[in-house]
Each structure stands twice: as C-alpha cells, then as structure tokens.
Amino acid sequence: MYFTHADAIWTTHPDLRALVLVADEVRAAKNDSDRLDELAKKIEERQAAAGEAEMPEIAAWREAFSRMGLKPTQYRCASEALLRRYRKTKDMPKFHPLVDYLNFVSMSFGIPIAAFDCAHITEGITVRPADGSETYQTFQGETEHPSAGEVVFADPEGNAHARRWTYRQSARSVVSAGTDRVLMVIEAHHASAEQDLAALRSELDLGLAGLGVRVTCSTVISPSQRRLEF
C-alpha cells in the first residue's frame, strides 16, 4: 500500500509537511487515561494562551482552506473543530482508545490527525483534487460525490476516504473495534511544521506504546520525500 500527495497539492501548498505512520495491533489497544490527563493539561495551556484562530498551526490551515475556495469559518480543519468543541465542553466523547488518544494529541499540538482502517483502503491513498466521480460514504449511510476540484483522500477505486482535506472522514475506513492496522496522517502548513511534527512524533512514540500499539513504518512527507510505501 502507499500514501502520497498529488503534484497539484504541492503546487498550491508548497509549505505542506506531513508525518505518516502505519500502526499494527490496534485491535488490542487499551485506554491510557493518565496520558489523556497529561495531554489535557497541555490543551488547557494552549487555549489559555490564544484563541483557535490565533494559533499559527490553525491560521496556516485557514489559509490553505481559503486557497481551496472554502470559507475558513464554515469549514474548519479537524484540529480547530476539536479544540472549539473542547473549549466549550472540557470533555470529548469516547470512540476508540487509539482515536481518543489521537484526538487529544491533535488538540495539544493544534495539528490535524487522520486515522484510516487499512483493511478498507484499496491499494493506497492519494491526497488530490477530486474529478467528481469519487464516492464518499457518510455516517448516516448515504453516498455523496465530492465536487470536482475538492481535495479528497482517494484510493484507485475512487473511494473518497475524506472530504475537504481534513474536514470530513468517510465511514468506509473509520477506525472501529475490529480495526487492526491503521494509517495515520498528520499534516501541517505553518512555519515551524517540521520541528513540531518531530515533537509530535516523540509524543506518539510514548503514547502509542502505552496503548499497546506498534508502529511498523513511518516517514516525513516533504517536497523531497512525497510517498510512503508500506
């Protein structure tokens, strides 16, 4: 399998950097409430220091959304949406030990993290503009077709595993209790993205081990390294 970004993405978003990892043994993942408590403290510090729109990680995503022709106040990257929800509730619903952990990591760094069940991906994923023929499965059981030009995470069979870049993930490849191998994609556009992704990787090394999840391969995606084969 593979993960990559199309040339059109690099042309429009040359500052993009991404950390991509593949993890196995996810089915046996266990909750780590102590780790979530530690991350919650970092989230509180982040939110006390600035509003979401003022955070450089999110401001850069807002600029990226604007370049895609989307209104940043209507469509928000995943980390901003999570942080805004957390600011109101100071809590998050529980989905899956891995997903819950990644949500807290995403909020503590202000960087979106996508997680896909590899068993429901055909061959691999390319982040690219849609051509309009792709199919996307909603969580309500409906099928949608992304508009031509919309940035999607697509496999060669035309399955869109996420819409509007990090805004909406498909029900097709969502992580569930039966998931055992997961593709994690962590993308950023801000000036210190490379350093922050390195720090985020250090957090994942500790946190994923605490969950009992094993990382089997990873890479940093950049203009000089655009693809991960796994």
Side-chain angles (χ1 to χ4, degrees), residues 46 51-65 72 76-84 106-107 109-112 189-190:
R46 169 178 284 276
E52 284 73 24
E54 299 167 338
M55 298 175 186
E57 304 88 351
I58 289 172
W61 267 107
R62 283 179 163 227
E63 292 177 8
F65 272 47
R76 305 184 190 278
C77 72
S79 56
E80 180 177 2
L82 288 171
L83 281 164
R84 285 178 174 272
S106 175
M107 290 189 287
F109 283 87
I111 298 174
H189 299 265
H190 60 290

Side-chain angles (χ1 to χ4, degrees), residues 15 17 56-57 60 109 111 188-199:
D15 295 328
R17 298 294 184 272
E57 304 88 351
F109 283 87
I111 298 174
H189 299 265
H190 60 290
S192 60
E194 290 186 14
Q195 301 95 303
D196 292 340
L197 288 174

Side-chain angles (χ1 to χ4, degrees), residues 159-173:
N159 298 302
H161 295 275
R163 293 192 60 183
R164 301 186 183 95
W165 214 325
T166 69
Y167 177 69
R168 290 180 66 193
Q169 186 170 349
S170 169
R172 178 183 180 87
S173 52

